[in-house]
Amino acid sequence: MTGTDPDVGRLVVSCTDQPGIVACVSSFLYRRGANIVQSDQDSTGPAGGRFFLRIVFHLPGLDKELPRLEREFRQEVAARLDADFRFRAASVPTRVALFVSRYDHCLLDLLWRARRGELPIEVCQVVSNHPDLADEVSSFGVAFEHIPVTRATKPEAERRQLGLLRDSVDLVVLARYMQILSGDFLDRIGVPVINIHHSFLPAFAGAGPYEQAKERGVKLIGATAHYATEELDEGPIIEQDVVRVSHRASARELARRGADIERTVLARAVTWHCEDRVLVNGRTTIVF
Ligand SMILES: Nc1nc2c(c(=O)[nH]1)N[C@@H](CN(C=O)c1ccc(C(=O)N[C@@H](CCC(=O)O)C(=O)O)cc1)CN2
């Protein structure tokens, strides 16, 4: 179903696995005139495991129906199943803030894909701890805010970032942003944060993964898109990819080869998150 049809909605549900979940959810939608056009589900185990469900449905007049659907689903289904759930209109783009430092390849790739309509996002704001990319971002017609960060000024910088973004974005994407976000920021921003790490995690977490890769003599390098948590590079992994490299490649050449992987991995992760295909299961994810 296209992302532009205003009558297409998505519902994601997660709860303790138990008999009757699909019957309960599908009959709720059926009784309200919705036509289920796609359904994916998975369970981590029938005995007390976690059940995950993603449904795409068509319902004429969806935008007017959503508040009632949410209210009645909460009362009639979620309360009974003790389920977490989310309804979304597929045609509404996800409002995104992009964080960047000096490396431009992931940022410009996302801006370019968004301008071409390849990503279901609206880039509302770019935030950077360096001024270098202001002109390039402005050329896309996107607001750019330079908020310098040092170890000493990080709390004040994060207060400025929160003041700029809170309640106006649905997702933050760290496009090679080279500052560690505090747990307080992650709690207060109130939306998911996706980071692109330039290694095939769990290998080479932290700073300088290409230098670590060169020193280790690996034959594959990679990139990992994950949700950012307080523990650096330990968040639930959304997408990864790798590319073969030769022993002749310098760390600089590894970084150049790796940049292509970073871009595609981040774009896939942002797309799948915004299409509600990614459900977090503890330290891991389920991607439908
Ligand atoms: N809370 C989190 N914040 C960030 C994460 C994360 O997983 N959780 N990922 C990083 C990105 N990153 C690797 O992918 C990374 C960035 C920065 C550093 C680091 O050591 N930064 C230093 C300052 C470096 C500088 O001033 O240039 C620091 O913040 O003290 C390590 C890994 C983004 N944030």
Side-chain angles (χ1 to χ4, degrees):
M1 297 298 287
T2 67
T4 55
D5 182 339
D7 294 333
V8 174
R10 292 193 292 260
L11 168 63
V12 288
V13 181
S14 67
C15 60
T16 300
D17 198 358
Q18 55 200 284
I21 299 168
V22 174
C24 190
V25 173
S26 58
S27 59
F28 172 90
L29 291 171
Y30 171 69
R31 289 197 305 271
R32 285 159 183 77
N35 175 26
I36 294 175
V37 294
Q38 186 178 327
S39 182
D40 296 278
Q41 65 198 52
D42 210 334
S43 170
T44 61
R50 196 80 183 153
F51 184 87
F52 300 87
L53 175 63
R54 176 185 185 268
I55 287 178
V56 180
F57 61 91
H58 186 270
L59 177 61
L62 175 72
D63 58 341
K64 295 177 183 60
E65 291 297 317
L66 266 181
R68 180 172 71 92
L69 283 177
E70 287 173 342
R71 184 175 64 252
E72 293 178 356
F73 190 88
R74 181 173 293 106
Q75 292 164 353
E76 297 178 27
V77 179
R80 176 178 156 193
L81 298 175
D82 189 19
D84 299 319
F85 74 97
R86 181 176 68 241
F87 278 100
R88 279 178 24 119
S91 61
V92 175
T94 301
R95 300 170 301 168
V96 176
L98 301 177
F99 280 39
V100 68
S101 290
R102 283 197 166 103
Y103 296 103
D104 61 358
H105 55 286
C106 290
L107 173 82
L108 296 181
D109 184 81
L110 290 174
L111 287 171
W112 181 76
R113 291 177 192 263
R115 184 168 67 184
R116 288 168 53 86
E118 290 179 8
L119 297 177
I121 68 173
E122 175 195 350
V123 181
C124 308
Q125 180 75 49
V126 171
V127 176
S128 180
N129 57 322
H130 296 285
D132 307 39
L133 295 169
D135 291 345
E136 293 218 56
V137 169
S138 300
S139 75
F140 284 88
V142 174
F144 179 94
E145 188 79 13
H146 173 212
I147 301 180
V149 182
T150 66
R151 209 171 290 279
T153 64
K154 190 170 280 194
E156 174 54 28
E158 290 189 345
R159 274 193 292 274
R160 285 184 58 193
Q161 292 165 347
L162 286 164
L164 184 67
L165 300 176
R166 197 154 44 186
D167 303 327
S168 64
V169 295
D170 308 305
L171 174 68
V172 171
V173 177
L174 308 181
R176 292 299 302 279
Y177 182 66
M178 303 312 287
Q179 290 294 326
I180 299 172
L181 298 173
S182 70
D184 181 57
F185 176 92
L186 293 172
D187 290 342
R188 293 169 65 188
I189 192 71
V191 298
V193 178
I194 293 176
N195 177 60
I196 182 70
H197 181 72
H198 38 314
S199 81
F200 187 57
L201 288 175
F204 311 139
Y210 291 124
E211 291 73 16
Q212 295 180 59
K214 177 61 182 174
E215 193 279 330
R216 186 66 185 80
V218 298
K219 305 310 177 186
L220 292 171
I221 59 168
T224 302
H226 63 93
Y227 290 111
T229 58
E230 193 165 1
E231 279 185 278
L232 187 63
D233 300 331
E234 289 288 333
I237 291 172
I238 303 168
E239 172 60 339
Q240 298 184 288
D241 208 339
V242 295
V243 64
R244 295 196 66 80
V245 291
S246 151
H247 64 279
R248 295 190 177 92
S250 65
R252 185 183 180 87
E253 172 61 13
L254 295 181
R256 199 205 61 71
R257 297 283 307 278
D260 293 338
I261 304 292
E262 294 167 42
R263 287 200 297 251
T264 52
V265 165
L266 184 56
R268 285 202 294 257
V270 170
T271 300
W272 294 344
H273 172 89
C274 297
E275 291 178 346
D276 296 305
R277 296 180 181 281
V278 186
L279 290 88
V280 175
N281 178 31
R283 287 192 65 216
T284 68
T285 63
I286 288 180
V287 181
F288 285 125

